[in-house]
Amino acid sequence: MHIGMIGLGKMGNNMRARLRQGGIDVTGYDRNSEVTDVGSVDELLAALPDRKIVWIMVPSGAITDAVVSELAGKLETNDLVIDGGNTRFSDDIRHGAELAKSGIRFVDCGVSGGVWGLENGYGLMAGGAEADIEEILPLFDVLRPEGTRAESFVHVGDIGAGHYAKMVHNGIEYGIMQSYAEGYELLAAKDIIKDVPGTFGAWQEGTVIRSWLLDLLVKALKEDPELKDIAGYVEDSGEGRWTVEEAIANAVPAPAITASVFARFASRQDDAPAMKMVSALRNQFGGHAVHRPDE
């Protein structure tokens, strides 16, 4: 199988590498000349077989809109576009309809794994027609961690369902990170606690709150025990807000996720220890930029 990939940032570049390691031919395009395989989208499409598959890994919103519109004018009937970025599910539905006018098929895929996905594999949540998903299963099989097909991959439903599932995943992620961060601040505030990193380390095995995020928290504390090099300013990339909006729209109570989103807003006003930890965790699992104290 030979596919094209547009967008070779922290996620796309690693995914290209993992696909190649798994025997998939990938021609990638990025505006960054240091990582791109070709000089333009036209060159990328010319390098692909007649039945083209193009995986998009660019930021959500206007940039994804522009890439989809460009492909709609250049691909042909029965070609397939996969959007693996963090696009809002409602945009997927619009993109699918736009491409369908030219007979181009569309699949949305939520991808989780951050900068560690190259080594560990990715969690994948796909939305689209059954036949389209079946055709690109070899891609998902290479990207997910080794094991049976059911592990770390799900065909969630129709177009938009994959990114809807990823949106909820990220909303849950917000809540878990906030809980760990608040626990960190409480431990650090108590004089009788002499080893905060060791306390979290003791929770890594055998406890009911052990997780990969906890492992990354311990790693962050080993690298910077007092988080001196990180300001308590935390960005939000959109999925948390969308999760809260959907909770409201569907009358589903989501107090923990909602509070975690608001906590990120609060972080932009005060340099709180808990928000330093949330910022450190985002950097650990996703390579997201942090604000330094002097910024």
Side-chain angles (χ1 to χ4, degrees):
M1 180 177 285
H2 185 179
I3 73 165
M5 181 168 285
I6 299 176
L8 301 169
K10 290 189 290 286
M11 288 284 285
N13 198 21
N14 282 350
M15 289 170 66
R16 175 179 61 174
R18 187 173 176 91
L19 286 166
R20 286 174 171 172
Q21 291 172 6
I24 305 295
D25 290 330
V26 183
T27 299
Y29 169 70
D30 193 278
R31 289 180 296 179
N32 181 354
S33 60
E34 295 182 359
V35 297
T36 194
D37 298 318
V38 294
S40 67
V41 171
D42 288 338
E43 289 182 24
L44 179 144
L45 297 179
L48 299 180
D50 289 340
R51 191 178 174 91
K52 295 174 173 46
I53 299 173
V54 180
W55 192 310
I56 302 172
M57 288 299 297
V58 300
S60 63
I63 296 177
T64 296
D65 288 346
V67 173
V68 169
S69 293
E70 182 176 7
L71 291 176
K74 295 179 175 180
L75 292 176
E76 298 180 356
T77 299
N78 285 328
D79 287 342
L80 175 61
V81 173
I82 308 165
D83 181 2
N86 283 326
T87 297
R88 187 181 174 97
F89 74 97
S90 52
D91 288 346
D92 289 322
I93 297 171
R94 176 167 52 83
H95 292 155
E98 178 182 356
L99 292 167
K101 293 177 182 177
S102 300
I104 302 165
R105 298 169 295 148
F106 179 75
V107 167
D108 63 286
C109 183
V111 181
S112 180
V115 296
W116 296 86
L118 173 58
E119 177 182 352
N120 299 335
Y122 300 89
L124 303 158
M125 298 140 270
E130 183 69 35
D132 297 338
I133 300 297
E134 285 290 332
E135 180 178 341
I136 56 178
L137 274 178
L139 303 177
F140 300 139
D141 286 342
V142 171
L143 289 171
R144 65 181 177 79
E146 294 181 3
T148 63
R149 176 174 291 182
E151 293 174 344
S152 300
F153 169 77
V154 59
H155 178 196
V156 189
D158 297 332
I159 289 174
H163 278 143
Y164 195 97
K166 178 59 165 35
M167 175 193 72
V168 175
H169 164 282
N170 283 21
I172 293 169
E173 174 189 296
Y174 275 48
I176 294 173
M177 291 168 65
Q178 187 64 30
S179 294
Y180 282 142
E182 291 172 7
Y184 162 78
E185 182 166 3
L186 184 57
L187 288 169
K190 193 66 175 179
D191 291 341
I192 61 173
I193 300 297
K194 305 303 182 184
D195 188 354
V196 174
T199 302
F200 281 104
W203 295 347
Q204 287 181 276
E205 300 291 342
T207 73
V208 298
I209 63 167
R210 64 187 184 276
S211 73
W212 184 52
L213 279 175
L214 179 60
D215 294 341
L216 293 177
L217 185 155
V218 172
K219 182 176 182 293
L221 288 176
K222 286 181 178 178
E223 294 173 356
D224 185 3
E226 297 180 4
L227 304 181
K228 291 181 179 179
D229 294 331
I230 297 178
Y233 184 110
V234 185
E235 298 284 2
D236 66 289
S237 53
E239 295 90 339
R241 298 189 190 203
W242 301 340
T243 305
V244 173
E245 290 172 6
E246 280 298 299
I248 294 171
N250 291 279
V252 173
I257 293 173
T258 301
S260 70
V261 175
F262 288 164
R264 295 196 179 192
F265 299 162
S267 79
R268 299 161 199 176
Q269 301 170 353
D270 301 303
D271 198 20
M275 301 318 297
K276 285 189 175 187
M277 179 51 70
V278 174
S279 185
L281 280 170
R282 292 181 82 243
N283 178 257
Q284 287 289 331
F285 73 76
H288 300 290
V290 299
H291 290 257
R292 302 300 175 185
D294 59 358
E295 296 175 334

